[in-house]
């Protein structure tokens, strides 16, 4: 029966939402055991009649809410089980207790497995529960080992680590908790495939085990994350040395792969008992804060928790809370920076740049809050809002100026992963009555490398609407000339750092990018033009367009309208010689 349940969940799970198909509902309704289905947020989306009979709850009173049958002392247990399921594991024959409607405890045997949509994504979970008699009760615990690496799983680690803490209370001992996360592991999966990714995780787990020693408890926490407990630390320096050795040991390439060796790096966060906390949950929480600091510092490093890091993390978290509220309260606004033709100086378009006017902190640039928006999962909503706002504004600007100006909007990597994004763009163009020819979408190299084939398909759909595609900040990331050839691009934007430094190497890079792009019939846009020297250099090397403070800083909507009116009132376009004489 379990085999068919798993097969049904995979066959009938939906593509785009967590609502069960009619086929799966009919199938589950025939089962004599109680079945409940929840989405990825833990909200009930379906229960069968057997569930109503076992627990006394009616379906109509449950849908959209969290499970009301969990005893208070089983909450942590439930979280641990669900985390395992979210990682793709199945829980079979786990015995525990649940509550009837009146609060009576019911001994049950529980089976839980992931609900998987047709894209292979875990979108929730299905649980089967049946009442067991006291005579038949025997606890079949979930395997303590992670099925892939054969290390301890997270739940077993928590048990072992808690026992170490309990046994050491009252004794002057030091312990270390470390969270280790592989850097850019998703890229390895996308590049070499899931099988290679799984093999690499096994290799990493094996190497960590060899480096750990008898005084270290090691587990796979899930995904590409590992957790360690260092016992009986004599001095802080010894713990630092252990962390350094482990961090360095992972940088040696891993072999035995069809494509040769694979080199990886890792980020780590460490907390220390009793200095950073006296309970396990707090130590793990602070290790995660230190891990976050390592990621923010550029990855491939480790940090120990400090109070300062905690304050920074708290501020970061609070800023995320403010951003959610601020977005709903219309605190975001779009500013526009003009782009001009190099040959004539005529303004030909605008780049839309989002700003956040925080009620206490003032104007916050996107470099500070866009990464937070990506972390807390609202970047899609913000991105679509920016796009709609920019299309509405460019329509107004075109009507005022009587010019066919275009607007460029930056895309995040997350937006490009959304298969519905082209349809969303098409709807915005239709709703705002903007021709696709007047919209330019800018992507970065980091967005491109996440899933090149998927990105190419998305960009082709967008380009079919007449939309222009630019690659932004070219040369600052993992640059590949292959991007310029394979991707359906119109423009290449040279990052301002090359233009503003202008040392020998920068000159070579800039001139090389211009020549290659033009051979591929791509227009080149120079960013960050702040002086006549910058402008002269780009013009001499046949750059097509430019933008920067020499032309104008980013301006709010009304101010950019005034700027454009003033520009159009001139009898002729300002050329380079006139700028030189004016200076």
């Amino acid at each position: 029966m379990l085999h068919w349940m798993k097969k049904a969940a995979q066959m009938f799970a939906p593509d785009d939402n967590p609502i069960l198909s009619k086929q799966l509902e009919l199938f589950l309704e025939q089962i004599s055991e109680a079945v409940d289905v929840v989405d990825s947020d833990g909200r009930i989306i379906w229960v069968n009649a057997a569930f109503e009979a076992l627990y006394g709850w009616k379906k109509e009173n449950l849908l959209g809410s969290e499970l009301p049958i969990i005893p208070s002392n089983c909450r942590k247990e439930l979280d641990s089980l669900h985390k395992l399921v979210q990682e793709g594991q199945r829980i079979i024959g786990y015995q525990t207790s649940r509550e009837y409607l009146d609060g009576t405890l019911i001994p049950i045997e529980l089976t839980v497995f992931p609900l998987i949509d047709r894209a292979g994504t875990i979108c929730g979970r299905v649980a089967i529960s049946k009442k067991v008699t006291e005579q038949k009760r025997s606890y079949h615990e979930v395997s303590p080992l992670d099925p892939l690496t054969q290390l301890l799983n997270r739940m077993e680690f928590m048990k072992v680590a808690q026992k170490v803490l309990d046994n050491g209370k009252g004794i002057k001992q030091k312990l270390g908790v470390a969270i280790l996360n592989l850097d850019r592991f998703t890229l390895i999966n996308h590049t070499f495939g899931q099988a290679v990714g799984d093999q690499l995780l096994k290799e990493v787990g094996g190497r960590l085990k060899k480096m750990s020693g008898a005084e270290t408890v090691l587990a796979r926490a899930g995904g590409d994350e590992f957790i360690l407990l260092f016992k009986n630390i004599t001095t802080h320096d010894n713990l630092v040395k252990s962390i350094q050795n482990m961090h360095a040991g992972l940088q040696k390439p891993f072999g035995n792969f069809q494509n040769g060796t694979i080199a990886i790096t890792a980020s780590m966060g460490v907390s220390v008992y009793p200095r950073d906390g006296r309970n396990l949950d707090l130590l793990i929480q602070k290790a995660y804060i230190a891990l976050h600091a390592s990621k923010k510092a550029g990855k491939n490093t480790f940090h120990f928790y400090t109070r300062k890091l905690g304050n920074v993390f708290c501020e970061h978290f609070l800023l995320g809370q403010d951003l959610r509220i601020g977005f709903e309260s219309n605190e975001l606004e779009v500013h526009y920076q003009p782009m001009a033709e190099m040959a004539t100086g005529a303004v030909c378009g605008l780049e839309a740049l989002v700003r956040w006017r925080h009620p206490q902190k003032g104007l916050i640039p996107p470099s500070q809050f866009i990464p937070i928006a990506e972390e807390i999962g609202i970047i899609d909503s913000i991105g679509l809002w920016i796009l709609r706002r920019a299309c509405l504004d460019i329509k107004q600007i075109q009507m005022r100026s009587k010019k066919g100006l275009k607007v460029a909007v930056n895309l995040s990597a997350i937006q490009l992963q959304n298969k519905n994004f082209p349809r969303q763009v098409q709807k915005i163009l239709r709703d705002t009555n903007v021709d696709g020819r007047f919209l330019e979408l800018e992507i970065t190299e980091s967005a491109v490398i996440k899933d090149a084939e998927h990105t190419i398909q998305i960009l082709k759909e967008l380009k079919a609407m007449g939309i222009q595609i630019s690659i932004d900040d070219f040369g600052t990331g993992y640059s590949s000339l292959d991007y310029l050839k394979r991707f359906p691009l119109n423009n290449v934007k040279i990052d301002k750092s090359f233009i503003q430094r202008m040392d020998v190497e920068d000159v070579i890079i800039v001139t090389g990018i211009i020549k290659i792009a033009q051979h591929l019939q791509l227009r080149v846009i120079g960013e960050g033009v702040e002086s006549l020297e910058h402008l002269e250099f780009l013009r001499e090397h046949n750059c097509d367009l430019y933008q920067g403070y020499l032309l104008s800083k980013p301006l709010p909507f009304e101010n950019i309208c005034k700027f454009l009116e003033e520009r159009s009132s001139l009898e002729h376009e300002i050329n380079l010689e006139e700028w030189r004489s004016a200076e």
Side-chain angles (χ1 to χ4, degrees):
M1 188 267 287
L2 292 177
H3 168 76
W4 285 105
M5 282 290 296
K6 181 184 177 188
K7 188 174 181 67
Q10 291 174 321
M11 287 174 59
F12 300 129
D15 286 327
D16 301 317
N17 62 67
I19 305 303
L20 294 176
S21 67
K22 287 296 180 185
Q23 298 100 313
L24 184 54
E25 286 190 25
L26 290 171
F27 181 85
L28 297 179
E29 198 62 68
Q30 305 305 312
I31 295 173
S32 58
E33 289 89 354
V35 178
D36 65 90
V37 185
V38 303
D39 63 18
S40 55
D41 294 322
R43 303 288 178 180
I44 300 172
I45 57 176
W46 192 84
V47 299
N48 66 355
F51 183 97
E52 294 178 306
L54 179 59
Y55 297 113
W57 288 88
K58 292 297 181 184
K59 182 186 296 187
E60 57 266 26
N61 297 327
L62 293 173
L63 299 182
S65 63
E66 295 182 353
L67 278 170
I69 61 173
I70 312 300
S72 57
N73 64 336
C74 293
R75 293 287 176 184
K76 285 190 177 180
E77 169 200 86
L78 181 73
D79 291 342
S80 298
L81 289 174
H82 287 183
K83 185 170 182 63
L84 292 174
V85 174
Q86 195 62 34
E87 292 165 4
Q89 298 187 41
R90 288 182 291 159
I91 312 300
I92 300 175
Y94 185 86
Q95 297 205 4
T96 183
S97 298
R98 292 293 180 258
E99 284 184 353
Y100 189 72
L101 178 61
D102 63 5
T104 304
L105 287 180
I106 306 171
I108 65 151
E109 185 176 275
L110 188 66
T111 294
V112 193
F113 52 82
L115 183 66
I116 303 170
D117 64 22
R118 290 187 175 90
T121 303
I122 296 174
C123 60
R125 61 116 182 105
V126 179
I128 309 167
S129 53
K130 63 179 179 179
K131 187 175 180 179
V132 296
T133 63
E134 289 299 325
Q135 290 80 8
K136 292 183 179 179
R137 293 190 71 184
S138 61
Y139 283 81
H140 303 287
E141 296 291 344
V142 180
S143 169
L145 300 182
D146 169 61
L148 179 65
T149 63
Q150 293 302 300
L151 300 175
L152 295 180
N153 61 33
R154 185 186 184 92
M155 191 159 60
E156 189 65 19
F157 173 88
M158 297 296 286
K159 291 179 185 177
V160 174
Q162 188 61 57
K163 190 174 181 180
V164 172
L165 256 67
D166 291 342
N167 291 341
K169 284 181 178 177
I171 303 173
K172 289 186 178 180
Q173 67 165 345
K174 285 186 178 180
L175 304 171
V177 173
I179 309 291
L180 183 150
N181 186 271
L182 302 183
D183 298 326
R184 301 174 68 228
F185 181 75
T186 302
L187 183 59
I188 291 172
N189 268 340
H190 286 160
T191 304
F192 301 110
Q194 181 102 28
V196 172
D198 285 350
Q199 181 60 34
L200 181 59
L201 288 172
K202 290 180 187 178
E203 299 278 344
V204 170
R207 188 176 294 183
L208 287 173
K209 192 171 184 178
K210 287 181 181 178
M211 293 187 291
S212 294
E215 292 300 310
T216 305
V217 181
L218 168 66
R220 181 186 175 209
D224 59 347
E225 195 167 273
F226 298 82
I227 184 168
L228 304 99
L229 176 71
F230 295 88
K231 300 186 289 183
N232 301 323
I233 299 167
T234 53
T235 67
H236 183 76
D237 287 345
N238 285 344
L239 177 58
V240 172
K241 187 175 180 180
S242 297
I243 296 293
Q244 286 174 332
N245 290 341
M246 195 163 286
H247 186 261
L250 286 177
Q251 296 186 44
K252 299 174 184 176
F254 290 82
N256 303 321
F257 294 98
Q258 283 186 342
N259 297 321
T261 60
I262 295 179
I264 61 167
T265 60
S267 299
M268 298 178 71
V270 190
S271 64
V272 178
Y273 170 91
R275 184 193 70 188
D276 299 327
R278 293 181 176 271
N279 69 71
L280 186 57
D281 287 342
L282 190 57
L283 289 168
I284 291 175
Q285 173 193 334
K286 291 186 175 179
Y288 271 114
I289 291 174
L291 173 65
H292 183 267
S294 296
K295 293 289 188 181
K296 292 278 286 183
K299 305 177 182 178
N300 190 25
T301 187
F302 62 87
H303 279 77
F304 278 74
Y305 175 83
T306 64
R307 184 171 294 180
K308 183 178 179 181
L309 282 183
N311 291 338
V312 170
F313 183 84
C314 183
E315 184 178 346
H316 183 83
F317 174 79
L318 292 175
L319 199 61
Q321 298 290 98
D322 287 351
L323 181 57
R324 285 187 185 276
I325 297 169
F327 177 53
E328 295 295 331
S329 304
N330 298 316
E331 291 174 5
L332 299 187
E333 53 191 60
V334 179
H335 291 194
Y336 296 92
Q337 186 171 39
M339 289 179 277
E341 298 280 355
M342 186 65 71
T344 64
V347 174
C348 58
L350 308 170
E351 181 177 2
L353 300 165
V354 65
R355 300 288 187 266
W356 176 19
R357 197 171 293 280
H358 192 284
Q360 283 81 43
K361 302 178 186 294
L363 210 59
I364 300 178
S367 59
Q368 290 186 28
F369 70 85
I370 290 297
I372 296 176
E374 292 178 340
E375 285 179 23
I376 65 177
I378 63 172
I379 188 63
D380 270 330
S381 299
I382 289 179
L384 291 175
W385 177 84
I386 296 169
L387 187 58
R388 184 175 292 274
R389 181 72 267 162
C391 285
L392 289 169
D393 287 348
I394 199 66
K395 190 69 177 178
Q396 289 294 316
I397 289 170
Q398 288 175 346
M399 291 172 63
R400 288 195 193 188
S401 65
K402 308 300 182 185
K403 287 184 177 181
L405 296 176
K406 66 178 180 180
V407 63
V409 179
N410 294 280
L411 299 184
S412 77
I414 293 174
Q415 285 177 282
L416 281 174
Q417 296 306 304
N418 181 359
K419 63 182 180 181
N420 294 320
F421 182 65
R423 289 195 291 273
Q424 293 170 335
V425 174
Q426 190 172 45
K427 185 177 186 304
I428 289 173
L429 291 175
R430 185 169 60 248
D431 292 347
T432 57
N433 196 29
V434 170
D435 191 312
R437 294 175 302 156
F438 300 118
L439 177 62
E440 178 182 323
L441 297 176
E442 296 185 1
I443 61 174
T444 60
E445 292 177 67
S446 59
V448 166
I449 64 175
K450 287 186 180 293
D451 189 341
E453 297 307 318
H454 172 80
T455 302
I456 289 172
Q457 182 57 41
I458 292 289
L459 296 182
K460 283 181 177 178
E461 292 180 45
L462 294 169
K463 199 167 184 182
M465 302 176 204
I467 297 169
Q468 291 204 353
I469 308 295
S470 297
I471 189 163
D472 197 9
D473 300 340
F474 192 77
T476 59
Y478 301 91
S479 299
S480 170
L481 297 179
D482 191 46
Y483 297 156
L484 301 184
K485 182 179 71 174
R486 293 177 60 211
F487 283 74
L489 302 173
N490 300 95
N491 310 306
V492 177
K493 298 191 80 171
I494 302 174
D495 186 67
K496 63 183 179 181
S497 60
F498 297 115
I499 293 170
Q500 292 174 354
R501 284 194 305 258
M502 278 302 171
D503 56 29
V504 175
E505 290 82 5
D506 293 324
V507 169
I508 293 171
I509 291 171
V510 171
T511 54
I513 291 174
I514 292 174
K515 287 178 181 178
I516 292 169
Q518 290 181 337
H519 276 301
L520 294 172
Q521 297 184 323
L522 302 174
R523 291 200 307 173
V524 183
I525 305 168
E527 294 185 295
V529 176
E530 296 183 356
S531 69
L532 286 174
E533 287 72 23
H534 298 156
L535 191 65
E536 287 182 35
F537 171 80
L538 291 173
R539 175 176 278 187
E540 286 172 6
H541 290 87
N542 300 314
C543 183
D544 301 294
L545 308 172
Y546 72 96
Q547 68 183 93
Y549 276 29
L550 183 64
L551 182 60
S552 172
K553 66 180 182 180
L555 299 170
F557 175 72
E558 287 301 330
N559 293 35
I560 197 68
C561 289
K562 291 178 183 177
F563 170 86
L564 293 171
E565 289 169 5
E566 291 170 1
R567 294 279 299 189
S568 63
S569 67
L570 298 175
E571 290 184 3
H572 54 82
E573 300 292 348
I574 299 174
N575 57 37
L576 184 59
E577 287 70 30
E578 287 174 323
W579 266 321
R580 186 181 293 109
S581 61
E583 194 176 69

